[in-house]
Amino acid sequence: MKKTITLQAMDPIEIFGAGNKILDAFCGYFPDLKVAARGDEIHLEGDESRIQEFNQRFSELVQRRHRKMNLTVFDVEDLFDGTGQDGTIRLSPESTIVHGTDGKPIKARNKTQQEMVKAYFENDLIFAVGPAGTGKTYVAIALAVRALKNREIKRIILTRPAVEAGERLGFLPGDLKDKLDPYLQPLYDALGDMIPTKKLQEFISDGTIQIAPLAYMRGRTLDRACVILDEAQNTNIAQLKMFLTRMGVNAKFIVTGDASQVDLPRKEDSGLLKGISLVKNIKGISTIEFTNEDIVRHPLVSKIVKAFDRKDGSVQ
């Protein structure tokens, strides 16, 4: 069977991408079809059922372009592996969140991580709590980078309470970035896995990726951003409220923390679990709870956590 699809009132590059990059990614899901793009037409040859599927999926891609400013190859992946036309996510163990700098796909590695990814697409505020090594922060960074590459957001904002310096960073040498780097290094490590070094530095320089100490977040309204609060167990309830109320239009907030590793002088001052209990029944907010079984670091990490849990709950 042969069929020709003609684009209506749309520049082909908006759908095909520069150098047909988006179209090539789309056609990769139909290796059994012969596809040729000429001008504003796509010529198909192959099995009738596969041509019909191609036509349906391509229509979904065009509709998505009408809802978005730009398309990327991530939109193609969403159609087949992730978000459907109705905006819901069809999650499977093979779903790719984003590709790393080495080209390898970064995926949810266990059921709880998959739940976190699913919750991200269905909610604007996510709490991810649980032991160290479960990938909470890494998945959060991957989701933020995906959204940035997909132009769903304009910036990524990373914040972490600098408990060791009492949030008073002025005495440390250097600019704001230099002062925060020791506390934000785990986030930079994750970003470095997903964004090439030169591009990452450009994003930081032009403000596309921002570092914002929790103490300096007050008064801001964060629109079209993915904002990640890491180590949230080291915030008190007032700080957590201040952070959560920074949410602006089309923003995604992800809060990660381990309630068993509180570094505050008085551990009972931690506002993480208190805050979760206050907002858990609000629509648009989801809490994902990781356990020792979800640890994805070295196999010894899980055993170490369990050993300390048997003693006192954790190392403080």
Side-chain angles (χ1 to χ4, degrees):
M1 178 183 176
K2 294 183 179 181
K3 181 178 178 64
T4 298
I5 299 174
T6 302
L7 292 176
Q8 301 293 334
M10 183 176 292
D11 188 338
I13 197 171
E14 296 180 21
I15 296 294
F16 299 166
N20 286 349
K21 187 175 182 180
I22 296 175
L23 181 62
D24 289 344
F26 186 92
C27 292
Y29 288 90
F30 298 91
D32 50 331
L33 292 182
K34 184 178 180 181
V35 183
R38 298 188 182 93
D40 61 354
E41 295 182 339
I42 301 176
H43 301 277
L44 305 173
E45 183 176 349
D47 181 77
E48 181 178 1
S49 64
R50 292 289 283 162
I51 287 179
Q52 290 177 348
E53 182 182 356
F54 184 104
N55 189 41
Q56 177 185 347
R57 293 289 194 177
F58 191 78
S59 294
E60 293 177 12
L61 188 65
V62 172
Q63 291 174 22
R64 179 175 290 228
R65 168 61 186 85
H66 288 309
R67 298 193 301 267
K68 294 186 57 180
M69 189 169 19
N70 298 97
L71 291 178
T72 72
V73 293
F74 292 104
D75 290 290
V76 176
E77 293 178 3
D78 276 345
L79 286 178
F80 294 93
D81 304 322
T83 305
Q85 183 181 358
D86 59 358
T88 60
I89 186 169
R90 296 188 299 273
L91 198 63
S92 74
E94 300 303 317
S95 297
T96 299
I97 302 174
V98 70
H99 286 88
T101 52
D102 57 2
K104 293 182 179 179
I106 296 173
K107 306 178 180 182
R109 296 177 61 181
N110 54 46
K111 183 178 178 180
T112 309
Q113 288 188 5
Q114 290 178 17
E115 291 175 357
M116 181 176 173
V117 174
K118 184 174 186 293
Y120 172 86
F121 284 99
E122 296 176 351
N123 301 271
D124 288 334
L125 171 58
I126 309 297
F127 288 94
V129 295
T134 51
K136 306 181 298 297
T137 299
Y138 200 80
V139 171
I141 292 288
L143 289 168
V145 171
R146 174 192 175 90
L148 183 64
K149 288 185 175 181
N150 211 15
R151 301 195 179 186
E152 296 166 0
I153 58 172
K154 290 184 177 180
R155 52 187 172 166
I156 296 173
I157 298 175
L158 312 176
T159 184
R160 200 178 192 191
V163 171
E164 293 81 356
E167 293 282 1
R168 294 184 297 272
L169 306 174
F171 66 90
L172 293 176
D175 59 17
L176 180 60
K177 177 179 178 299
D178 294 328
K179 298 173 192 294
L180 264 291
D181 275 353
Y183 306 105
L184 295 166
Q185 192 58 50
L187 304 181
Y188 283 120
D189 290 344
L191 284 169
D193 285 349
M194 304 169 204
I195 302 175
T197 302
K198 184 177 179 180
K199 190 64 177 178
L200 179 57
Q201 291 303 319
E202 291 177 2
F203 280 153
I204 292 172
S205 296
D206 66 18
T208 301
I209 294 178
Q210 301 177 16
I211 54 170
L214 189 57
Y216 296 172
M217 292 284 283
R218 191 176 302 278
R220 301 187 67 183
T221 300
L222 306 174
D223 298 325
R224 286 207 64 187
C226 186
V227 187
I228 299 171
L229 170 58
D230 194 35
E231 299 288 348
Q233 74 276 4
N234 289 328
T235 62
N236 59 42
I237 193 68
Q239 288 174 316
L240 185 60
K241 176 186 176 183
M242 181 273 292
F243 170 77
L244 296 179
T245 53
R246 302 306 95 203
M247 184 179 291
V249 177
N250 295 324
K252 292 277 190 177
F253 274 40
I254 305 177
V255 179
T256 67
D258 178 1
S260 69
Q261 295 197 40
V262 178
D263 297 315
L264 298 172
R266 296 197 329 145
K267 303 186 190 311
E268 60 269 25
D269 287 341
S270 175
L272 179 59
L273 296 184
K274 297 174 186 176
I276 290 175
S277 67
L278 290 173
V279 302
K280 63 181 180 181
N281 294 323
I282 298 177
K283 186 177 181 181
I285 300 176
S286 179
T287 301
I288 306 300
E289 297 183 3
F290 290 80
T291 70
N292 293 342
E293 303 303 319
D294 296 313
I295 291 176
V296 292
R297 288 181 185 165
H298 192 287
L300 282 178
V301 174
S302 180
K303 296 178 181 179
I304 291 169
V305 171
K306 289 178 181 179
F308 280 101
D309 281 351
R310 283 194 296 268
K311 182 178 184 295
D312 274 335
S314 79
V315 174
Q316 303 298 339

